[in-house]
Amino acid sequence: MLVNTPVLREQLMRWLADHAGLGKLPALGSAAIHVATEQAIETKRDDLRITAADPDTDAWVLLWTVELKVFGGFNYSSPIRALHERDDGPARSDEVHQVRNYDAWLAKQDVQEDVRSARAGFVLSTDPTITLPEGLECPWKPLTWTELGLRVERAIIDDSLPPGEAVLAKHLAGFIRDHLWTHTMTENPIRFDDLALLRAHASYGAQTQERVDGLVARLVPLLERSGLKLGPIKHSRKMFMGHRRSMVWTSTNPDAKGDLPWLMAGIISEGIPKLAVWLETEPKHANKMAGCEAVRENLAALHERNVEWHAHPAHEASWQDLSLRAPLEPILGASNQVQHFEEFFTKAFADLHETGVAAALAEAYR
């Protein structure tokens, strides 16, 4: 990302220097910025390194190291040579904080520009409470992915990026929002809607779970009459926790090691509540490609019966090999909710049995 977005990169570097109290960036002149990962620090490696070197002398004008943390803490390891050379250095048998190792190496590197921002370290983490060791020789600053995400979003909103960079910046900001964001109470206060939802769940949560579970339980006899080769049928009742599903599940390959693939059917509430049927296997299973090929070969026959069947290719690394979903809302307007519910799943199970796709998929995982 930083390699291909020079305008955004410069903005982020100036922001980092300012945010860390480093003052202005050194005068780079004709020195080009280089970004690399997993560079050697004696026997260690840093996650990200940002450098700029004088093209005439190859001397560093700027040297930054960045440690990236995602839901993990710091590690301790043997001290590097630069620490042993200090009068107060640790014994060789001691283990030291990784930032202390990186700092000792950083302090020993020659940097042409004698300014505070020329040599520095950063820790980018999902944890806003992390602390760094005391007594570090170089400037170090802990930052959160959320802070970085907000700065990228500001660049997008200010319309300060070329079109190509703006696209990449939006992807980065979205990824941080979805996977690395850390909410605080000041950013995300409780609202009236939250209180209303808590009251509703306290009053109706158990009743809703009971009604949904009662409906899904009717799938057990439907599966038993489907003609599919199945193992024991179980019922998972978790509409308001975890994956938020009430579903029955069973093996379509009960004689094989691992019982794969699994057949799942029921009501899911991930996002929009839906009726769902799917066959799943482990994403990294050795036979995943063969399973996906078995689905692909039978997909035309399935689509003749219902075009809503969806095949999940192996490159998606999905648990699901084949799935069918439908909105739950039409049940509310049906004169006979149970009949409407059972018709959807009876047809789905018949699709899997009569096209032979369930048997073909089971054979692929034997």
Side-chain angles (χ1 to χ4, degrees):
M1 168 63 102
L2 293 176
V3 172
N4 296 306
T5 54
V7 176
L8 177 62
R9 182 180 64 218
E10 181 180 351
Q11 291 184 19
L12 291 179
M13 288 180 65
R14 294 186 184 283
W15 168 74
L16 282 170
D18 180 65
H19 203 51
L22 301 178
K24 294 182 178 181
L25 290 176
L28 300 181
S30 58
I33 298 292
H34 294 278
V35 180
T37 59
E38 297 290 325
Q39 298 298 294
I41 295 181
E42 294 187 13
T43 58
K44 322 294 181 184
R45 290 184 180 275
D46 53 5
D47 291 328
L48 179 68
R49 191 176 299 176
I50 303 173
T51 61
D54 187 310
D56 298 322
T57 64
D58 286 334
W60 274 328
V61 180
L62 177 139
L63 172 60
W64 287 359
T65 181
V66 185
E67 179 65 19
L68 307 177
K69 296 295 182 184
V70 179
F71 308 117
F74 294 107
N75 60 56
Y76 287 75
S77 62
S78 58
I80 63 173
R81 185 173 61 253
L83 273 178
H84 292 314
E85 294 170 354
R86 288 172 39 169
D87 293 337
D88 62 344
R92 289 189 177 275
S93 59
D94 291 346
E95 290 193 337
V96 301
H97 195 291
Q98 68 181 112
V99 168
R100 195 171 295 284
N101 266 329
Y102 297 169
D103 177 70
W105 172 85
L106 195 60
K108 296 282 287 186
Q109 307 310 304
D110 292 327
V111 179
Q112 183 171 294
E113 289 289 323
D114 187 21
V115 294
R116 180 174 167 79
S117 63
R119 188 195 289 113
F122 302 88
V123 178
L124 193 57
S125 171
T126 52
D127 182 0
T129 66
I130 63 166
T131 57
L132 301 179
E134 296 181 356
L136 299 176
E137 295 185 69
C138 298
W140 281 83
K141 176 69 175 179
L143 302 158
T144 65
W145 288 97
T146 302
E147 291 174 292
L148 175 63
L150 288 171
R151 182 59 185 84
V152 174
E153 289 177 0
R154 195 180 94 193
I156 297 168
I157 294 170
D158 291 347
D159 198 23
S160 60
L161 303 175
E165 291 194 26
V167 172
L168 293 174
K170 288 175 183 177
H171 280 287
L172 175 60
F175 184 86
I176 292 174
R177 279 274 181 184
D178 289 343
H179 302 287
L180 302 171
W181 202 263
T182 304
H183 291 287
T184 66
M185 281 305 297
T186 54
E187 293 171 344
N188 204 23
I190 292 177
R191 302 178 178 86
F192 178 80
D193 290 346
D194 299 313
L195 181 59
L197 182 60
L198 289 171
R199 288 177 174 174
H201 188 272
S203 300
Y204 302 108
Q207 297 174 37
T208 300
Q209 180 78 61
E210 185 177 344
R211 292 190 190 104
V212 171
D213 289 343
L215 202 55
V216 173
R218 304 183 75 89
L219 298 181
V220 174
L222 295 185
L223 278 170
E224 292 172 340
R225 298 194 300 267
S226 67
L228 294 165
K229 185 178 181 180
L230 304 172
I233 302 171
K234 301 178 181 179
H235 189 169
S236 176
R237 301 170 172 86
K238 296 181 179 179
M239 281 302 297
F240 298 110
M241 64 182 74
H243 291 296
R244 298 184 298 281
R245 305 167 177 170
S246 179
M247 66 181 188
V248 294
W249 56 281
T250 181
S251 169
T252 60
N253 209 3
D255 299 330
K257 183 179 179 180
D259 297 335
L260 296 172
W262 297 97
L263 171 61
M264 316 282 192
I267 295 175
I268 61 175
S269 60
E270 302 160 357
I272 301 173
K274 293 180 180 179
L275 306 177
V277 182
W278 70 96
L279 287 158
E280 73 171 38
T281 53
E282 298 171 17
K284 295 184 179 180
H285 194 284
N287 294 359
K288 191 71 172 183
M289 291 294 293
C292 291
E293 180 62 20
V295 170
R296 190 188 65 79
E297 290 176 352
N298 290 275
L299 194 59
L302 274 173
H303 282 172
E304 287 180 4
R305 299 172 65 94
N306 187 340
V307 295
E308 297 301 324
W309 280 104
H310 177 66
H312 299 262
H315 66 77
E316 286 186 2
S318 170
W319 278 84
Q320 299 182 17
D321 294 314
L322 180 67
S323 65
L324 175 66
R325 299 189 178 192
L328 188 60
E329 287 84 354
I331 285 184
L332 299 178
S335 57
N336 188 323
Q337 289 187 357
V338 171
Q339 181 180 355
H340 184 97
F341 178 84
E342 291 186 346
E343 282 180 355
F344 172 81
F345 287 99
T346 298
K347 290 178 180 178
F349 298 152
D351 292 347
L352 295 175
H353 176 54
E354 294 178 20
T355 61
V357 67
L361 194 56
E363 183 63 30
Y365 286 96
R366 288 191 187 278

